[in-house]
Amino acid sequence: MGKIIIKQGDITWEEVDVIVNAANSTLRGGGGVDGAIHRAAGESVLSECIKMDHCLTGECVITNAGRLKAKKIIHAVGPVWSGGTRGEAQLLKNCYRKSLELALAHNLKTIAFPAISTGAYRYPIEAATEIALTQGFQFKEKFDCIIFVCFSRDDLAIYQSVYERMANDENKTLGSG
Ligand code: APR
């Protein structure tokens, strides 16, 4: 049975089949978690990204993981928050859903996500967490483990409280069925 794990840490250290990167559409690296992943993984990842040229917002691509302990990296491009009126929620949902589908297509059964779009792209953390965990709940039985890696203690507390609310709702639904 699949598990959802929420933890605080640096995603570059995760020993999973695949980690997800919060990339931008140029796929040339950047700051935040993107910078950390490219620095830790090394040149082989950047050169594979460069060959792919670009990736649209809400989409994702897969590369090797260079020096990381993970086997693969999925580079997902989250939306820039601009008030919520430009389809940001659907685009962020697509990032998670397509990353999970791409992992399954490659037979990768353990996956770790950062909080996509909630840093430089300014997506409100609580709303983003709901989207991330909703997708986690929908896919969890297809994976051995889905890990959400929070960089800060504040983000960890938000993920934990949203998780508890959703897990209670899920139990109520199962109980009434
Ligand atoms: N491990 C896990 N999470 C991390 C790490 C790390 N090593 N470093 C940063 N984070 C967290 C941030 O604290 C934030 O919660 O990742 C989350 C996403 O923040 P960003 O990295 O800024 O990503 P995003 O908001 O999606 O913006 C993407 O930033 O640098 C660029 O190239 C990237 O242009 C793209 C943009």
Side-chain angles (χ1 to χ4, degrees):
M1 186 167 146
K3 280 189 295 190
I4 291 178
I5 294 175
I6 294 167
K7 65 197 284 194
Q8 188 181 1
D10 178 341
I11 200 167
T12 63
W13 289 88
E14 286 300 320
E15 294 188 43
V16 283
D17 290 341
V18 56
I19 65 165
V20 178
N21 180 19
N24 61 59
S25 51
T26 72
L27 298 177
R28 299 298 197 269
V33 70
D34 195 9
I37 288 173
H38 276 284
R39 272 195 304 280
E43 269 302 305
S44 68
V45 175
L46 187 61
S47 61
E48 216 180 319
C49 283
I50 288 170
K51 280 188 205 136
M52 287 192 221
D53 191 41
H54 76 285
C55 179
L56 297 174
T57 303
E59 304 284 331
C60 56
V61 296
I62 191 163
T63 66
N64 78 84
R67 296 190 296 256
L68 296 186
K69 293 193 172 110
K71 295 177 194 151
K72 294 280 185 185
I73 301 171
I74 290 176
H75 305 261
V77 182
V80 177
W81 178 256
S82 35
T85 56
R86 300 213 174 152
E88 295 97 318
Q90 186 64 43
L91 290 166
L92 188 60
K93 177 181 165 189
N94 289 352
C95 271
Y96 282 98
R97 185 174 57 77
K98 291 187 177 194
S99 297
L100 290 159
E101 286 171 352
L102 188 56
L104 289 176
H106 286 258
N107 206 26
L108 302 163
K109 292 301 183 84
T110 54
I111 185 167
F113 283 97
I116 300 170
S117 280
T118 66
Y121 284 177
R122 304 181 314 274
Y123 204 110
I125 179 72
E126 202 149 343
T129 304
E130 290 206 11
I131 290 170
L133 292 181
T134 299
Q135 293 306 305
F137 274 102
Q138 281 187 7
F139 278 83
K140 91 177 157 126
E141 299 308 330
K142 297 193 163 90
F143 283 84
D144 294 337
C145 185
I146 301 177
I147 304 176
F148 292 96
V149 182
C150 302
F151 205 44
S152 72
R153 199 188 296 183
D154 287 353
D155 288 354
L156 177 69
I158 290 165
Y159 264 77
Q160 284 170 334
S161 82
V162 173
Y163 176 85
E164 268 157 39
R165 179 162 48 73
M166 285 186 173
N168 278 335
D169 289 349
E170 196 181 56
N171 284 339
K172 276 187 212 144
T173 311
L174 292 175
S176 69

